[in-house]
Amino acid sequence: MDESWFSDLLDAYKDDPDFITDQLVLDVTEQVATRMGDLGMRPVNLATTLGVSRAFISQLMNGRPNMTLRTLVGVALALDQRVSIRLEPQRVPPRDRSAYTRTWRGAAGSDSPAV
């Protein structure tokens, strides 16, 4: 069977803001889980360190998509890590920038970003 269908599917969504967000959430969740394993830390220990419920940590580890930067920084500090975020140029220019504008305005509820 031709396996190019999967590559074609990924290519179709590579510029989709929701898809990119899900990829980032998955990446962060995997990094947190790996670091917790390195430290021998259980979710209950992380919850105690952060002063949050075990349910909150469970949501976080299940890929909660609306994780704030503040939450991410708190988790990183609890794991003796730091957060590094950078914008990188795209390898291929986006085909339709209007998709970004629609998503951004929809999330912010206006023509300007929520700060």
Side-chain angles (χ1 to χ4, degrees), residues 82-109:
R82 70 184 214 40
V83 175
S84 173
I85 298 174
R86 65 183 180 280
L87 298 178
E88 298 176 349
Q90 295 189 65
R91 288 173 250 180
V92 178
R95 289 174 237 156
D96 180 10
R97 291 186 188 272
S98 65
Y100 304 131
T101 305
R102 283 191 304 272
T103 301
W104 186 41
R105 287 183 179 161

Side-chain angles (χ1 to χ4, degrees), residues 38-61:
D38 292 346
L39 295 173
M41 182 181 279
R42 295 177 35 221
V44 67
N45 304 121
L46 182 58
T48 301
T49 301
L50 292 173
V52 298
S53 69
R54 287 183 284 179
F56 179 83
I57 298 302
S58 178
Q59 289 175 343
L60 183 76
M61 298 307 293

Side-chain angles (χ1 to χ4, degrees), residues 12-87:
Y13 285 97
K14 71 177 176 164
D15 293 330
D16 180 75
D18 291 330
F19 182 73
I20 295 167
T21 301
D22 289 345
Q23 285 180 312
L24 291 170
V25 169
L26 179 60
D27 183 48
V28 166
T29 302
E30 288 177 350
Q31 289 181 53
V32 168
T34 298
R35 182 62 179 161
M36 287 174 65
D38 292 346
L39 295 173
M41 182 181 279
R42 295 177 35 221
V44 67
N45 304 121
L46 182 58
T48 301
T49 301
L50 292 173
V52 298
S53 69
R54 287 183 284 179
F56 179 83
I57 298 302
S58 178
Q59 289 175 343
L60 183 76
M61 298 307 293
N62 286 322
R64 181 177 170 188
N66 61 350
M67 180 189 325
T68 65
L69 289 176
R70 183 178 303 278
T71 298
L72 180 57
V73 168
V75 169
L77 292 174
L79 299 173
D80 297 323
Q81 300 289 290
R82 70 184 214 40
V83 175
S84 173
I85 298 174
R86 65 183 180 280
L87 298 178

